[in-house]
Amino acid sequence: MRSTTEKYFAQYQVEYKTYTPKGEHVVQNNETLKSISDNYGVSVDTIKKRNALPTDSLMQGQYLQIYSSPLYPFYANQEASYDKAYDVIKYAYTLRGFTYVFGEYDPMIGMDCSGFIYWAMKEQGISLKRGSAADYYSLLPKLREPKAGDLVFFRDTDLSREITHVGIYLGEGRFIHTTRNTGVHISDLTTSYFTQKFESFGQVQVNMD
């Protein structure tokens, strides 16, 4: 279920796999929260809270933050856009590396950019219609100063002049999203590509139906 083509994950593979105090656990086949809890001596409830897991079910390939300091704490000192913003981000972090499939929204099958938004928010109890990046863009008030959990929109990423891509803003100029070649990953808004394609931020509403 994971993308193996992206240098980003190769760069951090050792850190992920060694489970340092700032590392994470990669869920293996047939592992449970109880077995992971027993392995690390960290309670099931703590693991669920640190990763905003909505249930006890796990997906093979999820990254679980075991310790208290997140490996990518971009959102830690940011004002949240809405009550569940941090939980959406924490849960979205667990999906890094899951593959891109156009038109889909289930991590075990693959997700496109809007499907990723839909899944991460749905799993945190946020009412959201399944739509495209352009659909979500049309629903949300536009912002100059985003908060953690707001959406970030891009235009012309597939040779059209429409809104074609969306991600979740993390803070410090970073956002999490999914793309064809990379799957779910974190990117920097200040890179030349995203600077060129950036359209606006959208203020997330708790109910986006």
PDB file of all heavy atoms in Angstrom, residues 119-146:
ATOM      1  N   TRP A 119     -11.242  11.360   3.420  1.00  0.00           N
ATOM      2  CA  TRP A 119     -11.027  10.250   4.350  1.00  0.00           C
ATOM      3  C   TRP A 119     -10.533  10.763   5.711  1.00  0.00           C
ATOM      4  O   TRP A 119     -11.052  10.359   6.751  1.00  0.00           O
ATOM      5  CB  TRP A 119     -10.026   9.258   3.764  1.00  0.00           C
ATOM      6  CG  TRP A 119      -9.761   8.101   4.688  1.00  0.00           C
ATOM      7  CD1 TRP A 119      -8.814   8.021   5.671  1.00  0.00           C
ATOM      8  CD2 TRP A 119     -10.479   6.865   4.738  1.00  0.00           C
ATOM      9  NE1 TRP A 119      -8.881   6.826   6.317  1.00  0.00           N
ATOM     10  CE2 TRP A 119      -9.894   6.096   5.770  1.00  0.00           C
ATOM     11  CE3 TRP A 119     -11.540   6.342   4.006  1.00  0.00           C
ATOM     12  CZ2 TRP A 119     -10.348   4.808   6.091  1.00  0.00           C
ATOM     13  CZ3 TRP A 119     -11.998   5.064   4.325  1.00  0.00           C
ATOM     14  CH2 TRP A 119     -11.411   4.323   5.346  1.00  0.00           C
ATOM     15  N   ALA A 120      -9.525  11.625   5.708  1.00  0.00           N
ATOM     16  CA  ALA A 120      -8.941  12.100   6.963  1.00  0.00           C
ATOM     17  C   ALA A 120      -9.973  12.827   7.811  1.00  0.00           C
ATOM     18  O   ALA A 120     -10.021  12.647   9.042  1.00  0.00           O
ATOM     19  CB  ALA A 120      -7.750  13.008   6.677  1.00  0.00           C
ATOM     20  N   MET A 121     -10.831  13.622   7.173  1.00  0.00           N
ATOM     21  CA  MET A 121     -11.837  14.358   7.928  1.00  0.00           C
ATOM     22  C   MET A 121     -12.995  13.465   8.350  1.00  0.00           C
ATOM     23  O   MET A 121     -13.492  13.558   9.478  1.00  0.00           O
ATOM     24  CB  MET A 121     -12.322  15.558   7.121  1.00  0.00           C
ATOM     25  CG  MET A 121     -11.250  16.608   6.963  1.00  0.00           C
ATOM     26  SD  MET A 121     -11.877  18.158   6.294  1.00  0.00           S
ATOM     27  CE  MET A 121     -10.418  19.188   6.464  1.00  0.00           C
ATOM     28  N   LYS A 122     -13.410  12.579   7.455  1.00  0.00           N
ATOM     29  CA  LYS A 122     -14.495  11.652   7.785  1.00  0.00           C
ATOM     30  C   LYS A 122     -14.136  10.801   8.992  1.00  0.00           C
ATOM     31  O   LYS A 122     -14.969  10.586   9.888  1.00  0.00           O
ATOM     32  CB  LYS A 122     -14.782  10.743   6.583  1.00  0.00           C
ATOM     33  CG  LYS A 122     -15.818   9.664   6.847  1.00  0.00           C
ATOM     34  CD  LYS A 122     -15.996   8.772   5.629  1.00  0.00           C
ATOM     35  CE  LYS A 122     -14.828   7.832   5.435  1.00  0.00           C
ATOM     36  NZ  LYS A 122     -14.804   6.753   6.467  1.00  0.00           N
ATOM     37  N   GLU A 123     -12.906  10.332   9.046  1.00  0.00           N
ATOM     38  CA  GLU A 123     -12.477   9.481  10.147  1.00  0.00           C
ATOM     39  C   GLU A 123     -12.416  10.225  11.470  1.00  0.00           C
ATOM     40  O   GLU A 123     -12.382   9.611  12.538  1.00  0.00           O
ATOM     41  CB  GLU A 123     -11.114   8.861   9.836  1.00  0.00           C
ATOM     42  CG  GLU A 123     -11.149   7.830   8.724  1.00  0.00           C
ATOM     43  CD  GLU A 123     -12.006   6.628   9.089  1.00  0.00           C
ATOM     44  OE1 GLU A 123     -11.574   5.835   9.941  1.00  0.00           O
ATOM     45  OE2 GLU A 123     -13.121   6.500   8.536  1.00  0.00           O
ATOM     46  N   GLN A 124     -12.410  11.550  11.418  1.00  0.00           N
ATOM     47  CA  GLN A 124     -12.432  12.366  12.633  1.00  0.00           C
ATOM     48  C   GLN A 124     -13.827  12.938  12.913  1.00  0.00           C
ATOM     49  O   GLN A 124     -13.978  13.854  13.718  1.00  0.00           O
ATOM     50  CB  GLN A 124     -11.403  13.486  12.539  1.00  0.00           C
ATOM     51  CG  GLN A 124      -9.980  13.002  12.437  1.00  0.00           C
ATOM     52  CD  GLN A 124      -9.587  12.076  13.585  1.00  0.00           C
ATOM     53  OE1 GLN A 124      -9.918  12.348  14.732  1.00  0.00           O
ATOM     54  NE2 GLN A 124      -8.883  10.995  13.266  1.00  0.00           N
ATOM     55  N   GLY A 125     -14.822  12.402  12.218  1.00  0.00           N
ATOM     56  CA  GLY A 125     -16.201  12.770  12.501  1.00  0.00           C
ATOM     57  C   GLY A 125     -16.658  14.070  11.892  1.00  0.00           C
ATOM     58  O   GLY A 125     -17.677  14.630  12.318  1.00  0.00           O
ATOM     59  N   ILE A 126     -15.940  14.572  10.882  1.00  0.00           N
ATOM     60  CA  ILE A 126     -16.321  15.820  10.227  1.00  0.00           C
ATOM     61  C   ILE A 126     -17.183  15.504   9.012  1.00  0.00           C
ATOM     62  O   ILE A 126     -16.788  14.729   8.137  1.00  0.00           O
ATOM     63  CB  ILE A 126     -15.081  16.625   9.820  1.00  0.00           C
ATOM     64  CG1 ILE A 126     -14.305  17.040  11.075  1.00  0.00           C
ATOM     65  CG2 ILE A 126     -15.478  17.862   9.005  1.00  0.00           C
ATOM     66  CD1 ILE A 126     -12.998  17.703  10.783  1.00  0.00           C
ATOM     67  N   SER A 127     -18.364  16.102   8.963  1.00  0.00           N
ATOM     68  CA  SER A 127     -19.310  15.849   7.884  1.00  0.00           C
ATOM     69  C   SER A 127     -18.828  16.529   6.606  1.00  0.00           C
ATOM     70  O   SER A 127     -18.697  17.756   6.551  1.00  0.00           O
ATOM     71  CB  SER A 127     -20.698  16.381   8.270  1.00  0.00           C
ATOM     72  OG  SER A 127     -21.631  16.136   7.246  1.00  0.00           O
ATOM     73  N   LEU A 128     -18.565  15.732   5.602  1.00  0.00           N
ATOM     74  CA  LEU A 128     -17.955  16.248   4.375  1.00  0.00           C
ATOM     75  C   LEU A 128     -18.424  15.426   3.191  1.00  0.00           C
ATOM     76  O   LEU A 128     -18.331  14.193   3.200  1.00  0.00           O
ATOM     77  CB  LEU A 128     -16.427  16.163   4.497  1.00  0.00           C
ATOM     78  CG  LEU A 128     -15.579  16.609   3.323  1.00  0.00           C
ATOM     79  CD1 LEU A 128     -15.710  18.111   3.127  1.00  0.00           C
ATOM     80  CD2 LEU A 128     -14.119  16.231   3.564  1.00  0.00           C
ATOM     81  N   LYS A 129     -18.966  16.078   2.184  1.00  0.00           N
ATOM     82  CA  LYS A 129     -19.322  15.371   0.963  1.00  0.00           C
ATOM     83  C   LYS A 129     -18.070  14.987   0.200  1.00  0.00           C
ATOM     84  O   LYS A 129     -17.083  15.723   0.188  1.00  0.00           O
ATOM     85  CB  LYS A 129     -20.198  16.248   0.067  1.00  0.00           C
ATOM     86  CG  LYS A 129     -21.637  16.364   0.511  1.00  0.00           C
ATOM     87  CD  LYS A 129     -22.446  17.150  -0.508  1.00  0.00           C
ATOM     88  CE  LYS A 129     -23.907  17.225  -0.105  1.00  0.00           C
ATOM     89  NZ  LYS A 129     -24.702  18.008  -1.091  1.00  0.00           N
ATOM     90  N   ARG A 130     -18.112  13.849  -0.457  1.00  0.00           N
ATOM     91  CA  ARG A 130     -17.004  13.451  -1.330  1.00  0.00           C
ATOM     92  C   ARG A 130     -17.068  14.322  -2.575  1.00  0.00           C
ATOM     93  O   ARG A 130     -18.055  14.326  -3.308  1.00  0.00           O
ATOM     94  CB  ARG A 130     -17.139  11.966  -1.689  1.00  0.00           C
ATOM     95  CG  ARG A 130     -16.122  11.485  -2.729  1.00  0.00           C
ATOM     96  CD  ARG A 130     -14.707  11.468  -2.152  1.00  0.00           C
ATOM     97  NE  ARG A 130     -13.779  10.872  -3.088  1.00  0.00           N
ATOM     98  CZ  ARG A 130     -12.917  11.559  -3.827  1.00  0.00           C
ATOM     99  NH1 ARG A 130     -12.869  12.877  -3.739  1.00  0.00           N
ATOM    100  NH2 ARG A 130     -12.091  10.945  -4.633  1.00  0.00           N
ATOM    101  N   GLY A 131     -16.016  15.098  -2.791  1.00  0.00           N
ATOM    102  CA  GLY A 131     -15.993  15.979  -3.941  1.00  0.00           C
ATOM    103  C   GLY A 131     -14.594  16.117  -4.489  1.00  0.00           C
ATOM    104  O   GLY A 131     -13.650  15.477  -4.022  1.00  0.00           O
ATOM    105  N   SER A 132     -14.437  16.956  -5.485  1.00  0.00           N
ATOM    106  CA  SER A 132     -13.133  17.213  -6.096  1.00  0.00           C
ATOM    107  C   SER A 132     -12.462  18.390  -5.393  1.00  0.00           C
ATOM    108  O   SER A 132     -13.070  19.076  -4.564  1.00  0.00           O
ATOM    109  CB  SER A 132     -13.306  17.542  -7.571  1.00  0.00           C
ATOM    110  OG  SER A 132     -14.011  18.776  -7.715  1.00  0.00           O
ATOM    111  N   ALA A 133     -11.206  18.645  -5.745  1.00  0.00           N
ATOM    112  CA  ALA A 133     -10.524  19.820  -5.217  1.00  0.00           C
ATOM    113  C   ALA A 133     -11.304  21.083  -5.567  1.00  0.00           C
ATOM    114  O   ALA A 133     -11.454  21.992  -4.733  1.00  0.00           O
ATOM    115  CB  ALA A 133      -9.100  19.893  -5.768  1.00  0.00           C
ATOM    116  N   ALA A 134     -11.829  21.161  -6.790  1.00  0.00           N
ATOM    117  CA  ALA A 134     -12.601  22.333  -7.210  1.00  0.00           C
ATOM    118  C   ALA A 134     -13.887  22.464  -6.404  1.00  0.00           C
ATOM    119  O   ALA A 134     -14.316  23.575  -6.074  1.00  0.00           O
ATOM    120  CB  ALA A 134     -12.916  22.245  -8.700  1.00  0.00           C
ATOM    121  N   ASP A 135     -14.515  21.327  -6.071  1.00  0.00           N
ATOM    122  CA  ASP A 135     -15.731  21.366  -5.257  1.00  0.00           C
ATOM    123  C   ASP A 135     -15.439  21.960  -3.881  1.00  0.00           C
ATOM    124  O   ASP A 135     -16.186  22.817  -3.389  1.00  0.00           O
ATOM    125  CB  ASP A 135     -16.305  19.961  -5.092  1.00  0.00           C
ATOM    126  CG  ASP A 135     -16.875  19.392  -6.373  1.00  0.00           C
ATOM    127  OD1 ASP A 135     -17.308  20.184  -7.239  1.00  0.00           O
ATOM    128  OD2 ASP A 135     -16.876  18.154  -6.522  1.00  0.00           O
ATOM    129  N   TYR A 136     -14.369  21.492  -3.241  1.00  0.00           N
ATOM    130  CA  TYR A 136     -14.033  21.998  -1.916  1.00  0.00           C
ATOM    131  C   TYR A 136     -13.645  23.482  -1.974  1.00  0.00           C
ATOM    132  O   TYR A 136     -13.984  24.257  -1.080  1.00  0.00           O
ATOM    133  CB  TYR A 136     -12.897  21.175  -1.303  1.00  0.00           C
ATOM    134  CG  TYR A 136     -13.281  19.739  -1.016  1.00  0.00           C
ATOM    135  CD1 TYR A 136     -12.318  18.741  -0.973  1.00  0.00           C
ATOM    136  CD2 TYR A 136     -14.610  19.375  -0.806  1.00  0.00           C
ATOM    137  CE1 TYR A 136     -12.665  17.417  -0.713  1.00  0.00           C
ATOM    138  CE2 TYR A 136     -14.962  18.064  -0.556  1.00  0.00           C
ATOM    139  CZ  TYR A 136     -13.995  17.082  -0.508  1.00  0.00           C
ATOM    140  OH  TYR A 136     -14.339  15.779  -0.248  1.00  0.00           O
ATOM    141  N   TYR A 137     -12.969  23.856  -3.043  1.00  0.00           N
ATOM    142  CA  TYR A 137     -12.590  25.259  -3.227  1.00  0.00           C
ATOM    143  C   TYR A 137     -13.836  26.143  -3.282  1.00  0.00           C
ATOM    144  O   TYR A 137     -13.863  27.230  -2.702  1.00  0.00           O
ATOM    145  CB  TYR A 137     -11.783  25.406  -4.507  1.00  0.00           C
ATOM    146  CG  TYR A 137     -11.385  26.816  -4.849  1.00  0.00           C
ATOM    147  CD1 TYR A 137     -10.290  27.413  -4.244  1.00  0.00           C
ATOM    148  CD2 TYR A 137     -12.105  27.556  -5.793  1.00  0.00           C
ATOM    149  CE1 TYR A 137      -9.918  28.717  -4.563  1.00  0.00           C
ATOM    150  CE2 TYR A 137     -11.748  28.843  -6.121  1.00  0.00           C
ATOM    151  CZ  TYR A 137     -10.649  29.424  -5.500  1.00  0.00           C
ATOM    152  OH  TYR A 137     -10.295  30.708  -5.809  1.00  0.00           O
ATOM    153  N   SER A 138     -14.868  25.672  -3.960  1.00  0.00           N
ATOM    154  CA  SER A 138     -16.086  26.472  -4.114  1.00  0.00           C
ATOM    155  C   SER A 138     -16.860  26.603  -2.807  1.00  0.00           C
ATOM    156  O   SER A 138     -17.647  27.540  -2.647  1.00  0.00           O
ATOM    157  CB  SER A 138     -16.990  25.842  -5.187  1.00  0.00           C
ATOM    158  OG  SER A 138     -17.541  24.609  -4.740  1.00  0.00           O
ATOM    159  N   LEU A 139     -16.635  25.693  -1.849  1.00  0.00           N
ATOM    160  CA  LEU A 139     -17.385  25.700  -0.598  1.00  0.00           C
ATOM    161  C   LEU A 139     -16.802  26.612   0.470  1.00  0.00           C
ATOM    162  O   LEU A 139     -17.532  27.077   1.346  1.00  0.00           O
ATOM    163  CB  LEU A 139     -17.438  24.270  -0.024  1.00  0.00           C
ATOM    164  CG  LEU A 139     -18.325  23.252  -0.718  1.00  0.00           C
ATOM    165  CD1 LEU A 139     -18.104  21.869  -0.096  1.00  0.00           C
ATOM    166  CD2 LEU A 139     -19.794  23.643  -0.617  1.00  0.00           C
ATOM    167  N   LEU A 140     -15.486  26.861   0.409  1.00  0.00           N
ATOM    168  CA  LEU A 140     -14.810  27.454   1.558  1.00  0.00           C
ATOM    169  C   LEU A 140     -14.475  28.933   1.374  1.00  0.00           C
ATOM    170  O   LEU A 140     -14.037  29.344   0.301  1.00  0.00           O
ATOM    171  CB  LEU A 140     -13.511  26.696   1.844  1.00  0.00           C
ATOM    172  CG  LEU A 140     -13.655  25.189   2.122  1.00  0.00           C
ATOM    173  CD1 LEU A 140     -12.309  24.599   2.487  1.00  0.00           C
ATOM    174  CD2 LEU A 140     -14.667  24.933   3.214  1.00  0.00           C
ATOM    175  N   PRO A 141     -14.621  29.718   2.453  1.00  0.00           N
ATOM    176  CA  PRO A 141     -14.136  31.098   2.414  1.00  0.00           C
ATOM    177  C   PRO A 141     -12.626  31.120   2.210  1.00  0.00           C
ATOM    178  O   PRO A 141     -11.905  30.264   2.732  1.00  0.00           O
ATOM    179  CB  PRO A 141     -14.497  31.635   3.807  1.00  0.00           C
ATOM    180  CG  PRO A 141     -15.545  30.709   4.333  1.00  0.00           C
ATOM    181  CD  PRO A 141     -15.262  29.380   3.728  1.00  0.00           C
ATOM    182  N   LYS A 142     -12.136  32.088   1.447  1.00  0.00           N
ATOM    183  CA  LYS A 142     -10.708  32.156   1.150  1.00  0.00           C
ATOM    184  C   LYS A 142      -9.978  32.983   2.225  1.00  0.00           C
ATOM    185  O   LYS A 142     -10.541  33.916   2.781  1.00  0.00           O
ATOM    186  CB  LYS A 142     -10.484  32.759  -0.236  1.00  0.00           C
ATOM    187  CG  LYS A 142     -11.284  32.054  -1.338  1.00  0.00           C
ATOM    188  CD  LYS A 142     -11.105  30.535  -1.308  1.00  0.00           C
ATOM    189  CE  LYS A 142     -11.910  29.825  -2.376  1.00  0.00           C
ATOM    190  NZ  LYS A 142     -13.350  29.783  -2.109  1.00  0.00           N
ATOM    191  N   LEU A 143      -8.713  32.615   2.457  1.00  0.00           N
ATOM    192  CA  LEU A 143      -7.928  33.215   3.533  1.00  0.00           C
ATOM    193  C   LEU A 143      -6.594  33.726   3.028  1.00  0.00           C
ATOM    194  O   LEU A 143      -6.019  33.168   2.094  1.00  0.00           O
ATOM    195  CB  LEU A 143      -7.632  32.157   4.617  1.00  0.00           C
ATOM    196  CG  LEU A 143      -8.793  31.525   5.365  1.00  0.00           C
ATOM    197  CD1 LEU A 143      -8.288  30.319   6.132  1.00  0.00           C
ATOM    198  CD2 LEU A 143      -9.396  32.540   6.313  1.00  0.00           C
ATOM    199  N   ARG A 144      -6.079  34.738   3.713  1.00  0.00           N
ATOM    200  CA  ARG A 144      -4.698  35.157   3.497  1.00  0.00           C
ATOM    201  C   ARG A 144      -3.773  34.510   4.520  1.00  0.00           C
ATOM    202  O   ARG A 144      -2.633  34.176   4.228  1.00  0.00           O
ATOM    203  CB  ARG A 144      -4.575  36.681   3.590  1.00  0.00           C
ATOM    204  CG  ARG A 144      -5.168  37.436   2.407  1.00  0.00           C
ATOM    205  CD  ARG A 144      -4.946  38.924   2.569  1.00  0.00           C
ATOM    206  NE  ARG A 144      -5.427  39.674   1.422  1.00  0.00           N
ATOM    207  CZ  ARG A 144      -4.701  39.927   0.341  1.00  0.00           C
ATOM    208  NH1 ARG A 144      -3.462  39.483   0.270  1.00  0.00           N
ATOM    209  NH2 ARG A 144      -5.201  40.623  -0.660  1.00  0.00           N
ATOM    210  N   GLU A 145      -4.272  34.353   5.748  1.00  0.00           N
ATOM    211  CA  GLU A 145      -3.472  33.811   6.839  1.00  0.00           C
ATOM    212  C   GLU A 145      -4.103  32.508   7.317  1.00  0.00           C
ATOM    213  O   GLU A 145      -5.044  32.523   8.107  1.00  0.00           O
ATOM    214  CB  GLU A 145      -3.383  34.820   7.985  1.00  0.00           C
ATOM    215  CG  GLU A 145      -2.739  36.141   7.612  1.00  0.00           C
ATOM    216  CD  GLU A 145      -1.275  35.989   7.250  1.00  0.00           C
ATOM    217  OE1 GLU A 145      -0.630  35.032   7.752  1.00  0.00           O
ATOM    218  OE2 GLU A 145      -0.767  36.824   6.473  1.00  0.00           O
ATOM    219  N   PRO A 146      -3.613  31.358   6.871  1.00  0.00           N
ATOM    220  CA  PRO A 146      -4.229  30.090   7.247  1.00  0.00           C
ATOM    221  C   PRO A 146      -3.842  29.668   8.654  1.00  0.00           C
ATOM    222  O   PRO A 146      -2.824  30.105   9.207  1.00  0.00           O
ATOM    223  CB  PRO A 146      -3.645  29.115   6.220  1.00  0.00           C
ATOM    224  CG  PRO A 146      -2.273  29.667   5.959  1.00  0.00           C
ATOM    225  CD  PRO A 146      -2.457  31.168   5.981  1.00  0.00           C
TER     226      PRO A 146
END
